[in-house]
Amino acid sequence: MNHSIFSLLALLLCLSGCAVTAKHSEPQPVRSTASAVGDNFANVPVEKANDPLLRFNRTVFGLNDSFNNYAVRPFARGYAVVVPLPVRNGIANFFDNLQFPVRFVNSVLQGKLTRSAQETGKFVINSTAGVGGLIRVSDHISGLANVPAEDFGLTLGVWGIPAGPYLVVPILGPSDCRDLVGFVGDYAISPLDWHTLGIIHCAYISNAASIALSATRYVNGLPKAIEAYDQLKSEAVDPYIAMRDAYLSYRAAQMKK
Amino acid sequence: MFTDLFHRILKSALVPLVLGSVGLSNAASVDDPAAMLRSSTDEVLSIAYSGHGNETLVARVRPLLEKTFAFDVVTRQAMGPGWRQFSAADQKRVTELFTELVIRTYSSRVVGTQRPKITYGAPVELAPDRREIPTRVSNSSGTEPFAVVYRLIKFPAGWRIYDVLIEGVSFVANYRAQFDEIIQNGGAPAVIRTLETKLAAPADSHS
């Protein structure tokens, strides 16, 4: 129930965001100057991000920042004390392995059949030799290492759907219209959510257990996430822009893989 | 997806360590950017993992980073087209301050990270005096490896780094985006004020 409300909310947020006209300025070519070594770099214009909801986004960014400071960080520190790093890494690997259907389905949807076969190989090997996915054995096998992870946001991009405006989502953080739709799509493909979505009915797995698994995955990722967030903030002169550029550049690079 | 991004950004925590690893260029590597990256890796990793306290790390890595990075080029790029409007004195001051920020960033990231294993790809020619070298960084904790690309420029004294891309996120482009609005609103004085405020804050500040 809660999940369907969230999905609806996500879609509404996205649709309202997408209704805003996208303004994209193409980067101009680098003008070469011979005045000094490397001087031509300074002429590269700043690429304008597609962020028409800037004021709204900055507000949400500020709210998320408070949430991180007063709720997430103390909790994440406590969790990190109780659960040591090697265990957290193992749990993260376990959940990453479980997300295999998401990567497999999206590889197929993008027509990347070799990649979908690699994902299957990774899943089989990490689930068996990697003790149920706790250890990333596949990273040491050439041909199975360095397989770019696909998701539905990337699939939509490959299908030619534009990213739309940049969005900062409450609690979840940076996204854009396309990735928010992708997030909902991947939610349906993720095995962790099959039960709550009514895809499988198993007498031994209750709704509560399914939600508990998702919660474990979220909580386990918090210490790393908050560490990364603090790192970004401590280095940035404008954390909002730093995060926006990092998100958009990272997703653009993923699209090219 | 969202936490995935955080993890990716976190991975960049290892990168300055790798940056530091390219510190000591020697005579043999003056003409070979790949050799420059490779030859000094172990040397600097050894410094980072020598067992000395973290508090002296900034001082110990500073000379290495000054030999490794083209800090003037890095700064010029990070300021973007607005750099041209800066006075010579402002350019000098901004370069000093931004260099300090980069060096601090480096040393804060080294703390608490594990010694990584680096795999080097073949250099790609961007221009006669510029190369791009892809690397892959993995660590012993068994988490997912990540991609780091170095961009180097040739000086008479040898190759120097002018940009680093972590999973597609360019270090200088990220700062250029941040400084764009600051320069448009307040020019060089605003940049200097912002950097001075940033550097005056404690290194572990979350505010």
Side-chain angles (χ1 to χ4, degrees):
Chain A
M1 183 63 186
N2 287 337
H3 295 285
S4 38
I5 289 172
F6 174 76
S7 307
L8 188 66
L9 179 73
L11 275 171
L12 282 174
L13 252 175
C14 183
L15 290 173
S16 60
C18 291
V20 180
T21 314
K23 286 180 200 159
H24 242 323
S25 67
E26 290 299 317
Q28 294 157 18
V30 179
R31 277 177 291 148
S32 179
T33 59
S35 57
V37 177
D39 207 29
N40 53 337
F41 296 114
N43 285 327
V44 180
V46 179
E47 196 174 346
K48 297 290 176 201
N50 182 10
D51 191 6
L53 302 172
L54 178 72
R55 291 183 67 175
F56 168 80
N57 282 340
R58 273 206 190 262
T59 306
V60 178
F61 185 84
L63 291 172
N64 285 350
D65 186 56
S66 299
F67 181 71
N68 284 338
N69 286 339
Y70 298 111
V72 177
R73 184 174 300 106
F75 184 74
R77 281 188 179 156
Y79 180 79
V81 168
V82 178
V83 184
L85 182 63
V87 179
R88 294 204 302 276
N89 285 341
I91 293 173
N93 290 342
F94 169 78
F95 282 112
D96 188 56
N97 190 52
L98 265 191
Q99 293 300 97
F100 152 73
V102 172
R103 297 186 293 268
F104 176 81
V105 168
N106 282 298
S107 297
V108 172
L109 289 176
Q110 294 175 37
K112 295 171 180 169
L113 298 182
T114 308
R115 198 164 289 181
S116 60
Q118 286 173 310
E119 286 292 355
T120 308
K122 271 177 66 179
F123 179 69
V124 169
I125 284 173
N126 289 338
S127 300
T128 52
V131 199
L134 293 173
I135 306 163
R136 297 177 57 93
V137 182
S138 61
D139 283 344
H140 306 287
I141 300 168
S142 64
L144 294 184
N146 310 341
V147 183
E150 300 295 353
D151 57 55
F152 197 52
L154 296 174
T155 298
L156 294 172
V158 167
W159 289 353
I161 294 167
Y166 176 71
L167 288 175
V168 182
V169 184
I171 298 177
L172 293 176
S175 186
D176 58 39
C177 276
R178 187 174 65 200
D179 284 343
L180 200 56
V181 174
F183 180 70
V184 176
D186 287 336
Y187 183 86
I189 309 172
S190 170
L192 290 177
D193 309 307
W194 284 350
H195 187 271
T196 41
L197 289 173
I199 293 170
I200 52 168
H201 291 283
C202 172
Y204 300 103
I205 305 174
S206 65
N207 259 350
S210 180
I211 291 166
L213 272 175
S214 292
T216 307
R217 182 179 178 224
Y218 175 73
V219 168
N220 189 66
L222 287 183
K224 263 189 171 182
I226 201 76
E227 196 183 327
Y229 179 72
D230 288 344
Q231 183 92 52
L232 180 137
K233 267 187 77 184
S234 73
E235 293 162 10
V237 292
D238 186 338
Y240 172 81
I241 304 284
M243 177 71 90
R244 186 183 72 187
D245 175 80
Y247 184 80
L248 297 177
S249 302
Y250 168 60
R251 293 297 284 174
Q254 278 189 312
M255 277 285 299
K256 289 180 191 160
K257 285 181 182 173
Chain B
M1 174 189 66
F2 303 84
T3 47
D4 180 53
L5 170 78
F6 281 128
H7 292 176
R8 292 284 171 164
I9 292 173
L10 177 77
K11 287 170 180 177
S12 66
L14 278 174
V15 170
L17 188 58
V18 189
L19 301 186
S21 70
V22 291
L24 298 174
S25 59
N26 53 43
S29 63
V30 164
D31 291 325
D32 186 353
M36 179 222 176
L37 267 169
R38 285 167 181 270
S39 68
S40 48
T41 297
D42 283 340
E43 200 160 2
V44 179
L45 286 181
S46 299
I47 292 176
Y49 292 94
S50 61
H52 289 93
N54 292 329
E55 60 278 357
T56 61
L57 202 57
V58 178
R60 284 185 287 141
V61 297
R62 188 187 301 275
L64 298 173
L65 295 183
E66 282 170 351
K67 283 187 194 171
T68 306
F69 278 82
F71 277 120
D72 52 343
V73 180
V74 172
T75 308
R76 236 177 298 179
Q77 284 191 100
M79 297 303 140
W83 175 260
R84 297 231 169 229
Q85 275 82 56
F86 292 10
S87 71
D90 284 344
Q91 288 183 346
K92 185 168 177 291
R93 182 68 183 139
V94 168
T95 305
E96 284 168 6
L97 291 168
F98 192 67
T99 300
E100 185 62 28
L101 182 64
V102 175
I103 290 175
R104 279 207 199 173
T105 298
Y106 162 76
S107 45
S108 77
R109 287 186 178 195
V110 167
V111 177
T113 54
Q114 293 170 296
R115 183 170 181 144
K117 181 172 171 283
I118 303 147
T119 317
Y120 296 87
V124 179
E125 183 172 322
L126 301 174
D129 66 339
R130 300 209 299 274
R131 297 286 186 281
E132 189 173 274
I133 302 178
T135 69
R136 198 142 188 95
V137 181
S138 49
N139 60 52
S140 56
S141 67
T143 49
E144 195 180 356
F146 60 99
V148 179
V149 174
Y150 295 90
R151 287 183 178 158
L152 300 97
I153 183 166
K154 192 175 188 186
F155 282 94
W159 290 88
R160 298 283 183 273
I161 295 169
Y162 71 86
D163 196 8
V164 184
L165 291 88
I166 303 144
E167 290 286 346
V169 181
S170 155
F171 179 84
V172 293
N174 193 274
Y175 273 106
R176 190 160 54 222
Q178 294 180 59
F179 279 116
D180 184 41
E181 196 180 309
I182 296 170
I183 292 174
Q184 280 179 23
N185 292 338
V191 172
I192 291 169
R193 210 165 42 240
T194 304
L195 284 170
E196 282 175 344
T197 308
K198 188 78 209 168
L199 292 171
D204 60 350
S205 169
H206 300 316
S207 60

